[in-house]
Amino acid sequence: MSTQGERDPRPAGQQSDVPAHTHRARRGRRRALVGCTLAVVVSGVGWLVTRPEPGDWAPGLGPTGASTRASVPAIGAAPAEPQTEAQSFTADRYFPAQRGIDLYDFKAKRTLTKQGPDCAETLRDRAHDVLHGAGCQGYVSVGFSGLDQPVVTTVTVLRFADAAAAAKAGQALDGDHEALAFLVAPPAPGSPASAPLPTGKPLTSSRVEAVGHYVTVTVSRYADLRAANPTPDGALDAATRAVSFTAGAPFAWM
């Protein structure tokens, strides 16, 4: 009769040549080895279960989501510094050249830009400083040229510390929009360096809007500075509405 677990059973009545204390030592070592192996396996399973990664389908299965690998920054890559409001207040951000205007039956492309922290640069005449003491912190001016109509439009966006200051400045500019300069595109190649200006005050359409702590001043006129309107009425108003809305939209929720 053999005993389960013995590889070399002896005939009944015959004793093993190995002393009993040696058997006990071997069994102790085997038990210790099995115990260590189980401890390693259990600890490994516990680490997997307690260390789920974002994007895993189930905890402990590892990073099964593609978003996890994408979210790991490259070694040695420095995070981009966030821009301040003043730094991000640029013509290229809010009025990129590749994005024209197509709104209210007015199509136009960007032709000129000007920007800076000194709002006095927007004035037609510094002696007539309608912005004096208003707390203006910076400006962006953009010129647009109509594609289907001989209409040019300038919009100037002024930035203030708060909505109250912007509203006060907007009221001052609402009755004096001509205090701000109009951006004039340089003459096209081959055109006369200077052309006689028409007599009389040119037709214009203007709109002043306080949007949050910004003020937009939009003015449209005909490219030839005509004082009469031989084209259907509403061309200037459509241009002013389209550019004014485009200018104010990015600041409506700021």
Side-chain angles (χ1 to χ4, degrees):
M1 180 181 215
S2 63
T3 302
Q4 186 176 1
E6 292 182 357
R7 297 183 180 178
D8 187 19
R10 301 273 180 183
Q14 183 176 355
Q15 297 180 352
S16 172
D17 296 336
V18 182
H21 65 85
T22 302
H23 281 296
R24 289 194 295 270
R26 289 177 178 175
R27 286 197 298 270
R29 285 195 296 270
R30 284 198 298 270
R31 290 172 181 172
L33 179 60
V34 172
C36 291
T37 302
L38 290 175
V40 171
V41 172
V42 170
S43 63
V45 172
W47 182 85
L48 288 174
V49 172
T50 57
R51 290 291 302 275
E53 297 292 338
D56 288 359
W57 290 339
L61 295 182
T64 55
S67 61
T68 303
R69 295 187 294 272
S71 63
V72 178
I75 298 177
E81 291 292 334
Q83 286 189 322
T84 64
E85 183 180 0
Q87 291 172 333
S88 63
F89 185 48
T90 64
D92 285 339
R93 178 179 181 183
Y94 292 105
F95 307 96
Q98 65 273 18
R99 187 175 67 201
I101 293 180
D102 186 357
L103 190 65
Y104 300 134
D105 296 327
F106 178 69
K107 297 180 180 180
K109 64 178 180 179
R110 193 187 83 172
T111 54
L112 296 170
T113 64
K114 188 177 180 181
Q115 61 193 34
D118 184 6
C119 297
E121 294 175 354
T122 67
L123 300 173
R124 185 187 301 273
D125 182 6
R126 285 180 179 252
H128 179 53
D129 189 355
V130 69
L131 296 174
H132 179 72
C136 186
Q137 298 178 335
Y139 77 94
V140 169
S141 293
V142 184
F144 291 93
S145 179
L147 299 178
D148 300 331
Q149 297 281 352
V151 174
V152 289
T153 303
T154 292
V155 59
T156 298
V157 184
L158 306 170
R159 184 171 60 88
F160 296 86
D162 50 51
K168 184 177 180 180
Q171 292 176 355
L173 288 165
D174 196 20
D176 197 3
H177 64 270
E178 292 184 354
L180 301 187
F182 196 96
L183 294 184
V184 179
S191 63
S194 62
L197 297 178
T199 59
K201 186 177 180 180
L203 286 172
T204 61
S205 172
S206 64
R207 175 172 292 194
V208 178
E209 297 283 351
V211 186
H213 59 284
Y214 294 84
V215 173
T216 64
V217 182
T218 309
V219 181
S220 300
R221 68 189 188 192
Y222 287 100
D224 58 5
L225 300 179
R226 67 186 66 164
N229 186 6
T231 61
D233 292 338
L236 294 183
D237 289 340
T240 299
R241 290 198 310 272
V243 176
S244 179
F245 178 84
T246 302
F251 309 107
W253 303 105
M254 295 182 64

